[in-house]
Amino acid sequence: MKPLIGITTHVELDYKHVLNHDYIIAVQRAGGIPLLIPIDTENDAGRILDALDGLVVSGGGDIDPTLFGEEPHPKLGEISPGRDASELALIKGALERDMPLLTICRGLQIMVIAEGGDMYQDIYSQIDRQLLQHSQRANRVHLSHFVETAEGSILREAAQAEKFRVNSYHHQAVRDVKAPFAVSGIASDGVIEAVESTEHRFAVGVQWHPEALAAAGDGPSLRLFERFIETAKEGAGTLANH
């Protein structure tokens, strides 16, 4: 049975839901059925998760820094408090259920925040060293920079290499990672590119956009989605009697 995969949506000023079609294609290519999740659903997060076999938290705008004890930096971009609240509830619920969880770009950051970590509001203003170009000026399937993978990680298994190239579209990044998460991927400039849970079957967050690469047939990104979907299949259909 194909697993039902929820995908959170990007919201413009809390009134317009949008999502790149690559997320749909990536889930379908990996063997899942995509279902889009709107914002302002935090009070119903449990019921939504009851219907799903896995959860993808998508990329998008910036995150409200008050969620990790800071006030807005001058370089902070557009935020969506409604999206933040919904995704925090969904992520916490998914982790409690050990539901397969794949979080992408902004999704990685809010997953880390959900477990007490924090992030840079703007890496170029807040990191005092030379950085790579993390907002590439190329199409979405261009492989921009390398990511080094941690030994024994799901990421290395998907990459089938100690390091591999990814695309890159972000100005924020994870700073402090708390248990149950551990860093599993890092750029050559030290920016955290991936984290994984050490206590869950599949709870992986990546800073790049594997959905675009998987939709285009990129091996490491497609294998990451396939591993996510395979884990979700283990529980597919078990909720049918709820």
Side-chain angles (χ1 to χ4, degrees), residues 194-209:
V195 306
E196 300 179 13
S197 172
T198 60
E199 300 176 5
H200 297 82
R201 291 180 299 150
F202 189 108
V204 178
V206 299
Q207 186 57 70
W208 64 95
H209 281 272

Side-chain angles (χ1 to χ4, degrees), residues 123-134:
I123 55 176
Y124 297 106
S125 303
Q126 296 181 298
I127 297 179
D128 188 21
R129 63 176 182 272
Q130 185 67 42
L131 298 179
L132 299 173
Q133 183 188 76
H134 285 275

Side-chain angles (χ1 to χ4, degrees), residues 11-200:
V11 179
E12 297 175 356
L13 297 176
D14 279 7
Y15 78 92
K16 181 180 180 181
H17 290 74
V18 295
L19 184 74
N20 287 339
H21 191 55
D22 288 340
Y23 287 97
I24 307 300
I25 297 173
V27 167
Q28 290 175 330
R29 288 196 65 170
I33 301 171
L35 180 69
L36 306 193
I37 304 173
I39 67 164
D40 294 331
T41 53
E42 61 269 24
N43 293 331
D44 298 308
R47 180 67 187 90
I48 291 170
L49 293 170
D50 282 345
L52 301 177
D53 301 303
L55 176 67
V56 174
V57 183
S58 64
D62 288 359
I63 295 171
D64 184 355
T66 63
L67 294 173
F68 50 94
E70 293 186 3
E71 295 184 275
H73 186 278
K75 298 290 187 180
L76 180 70
E78 179 184 313
I79 65 170
S80 171
R83 182 177 181 184
D84 291 340
S86 296
E87 290 185 343
L88 285 170
L90 288 166
I91 289 167
K92 290 176 180 178
L95 291 171
E96 289 172 359
R97 297 159 183 255
D98 197 14
M99 174 179 286
L101 175 64
L102 177 59
T103 63
I104 294 171
C105 198
R106 168 206 153 90
L108 158 65
Q109 297 157 8
I110 200 156
M111 180 176 74
V112 167
I113 291 168
E115 291 296 296
D118 64 22
M119 59 181 285
Y120 296 105
Q121 295 186 51
D122 180 68
I123 55 176
Y124 297 106
S125 303
Q126 296 181 298
I127 297 179
D128 188 21
R129 63 176 182 272
Q130 185 67 42
L131 298 179
L132 299 173
Q133 183 188 76
H134 285 275
S135 295
Q136 70 187 50
R137 296 169 185 172
N139 65 48
R140 293 181 68 80
V141 297
H142 175 69
L143 300 176
S144 175
H145 67 75
F146 283 96
V147 170
E148 298 179 16
T149 62
E151 184 176 357
S153 64
I154 293 172
L155 183 60
R156 179 168 292 190
E157 177 187 322
Q160 298 181 354
E162 292 185 7
K163 69 177 183 178
F164 69 111
R165 290 167 64 196
V166 301
N167 57 9
S168 191
Y169 290 97
H170 66 103
H171 79 105
Q172 300 192 312
V174 168
R175 178 171 52 198
D176 187 29
V177 177
K178 302 291 188 183
F181 295 112
V183 176
S184 62
I186 192 167
S188 59
D189 59 5
V191 170
I192 293 172
E193 291 283 340
V195 306
E196 300 179 13
S197 172
T198 60
E199 300 176 5
H200 297 82

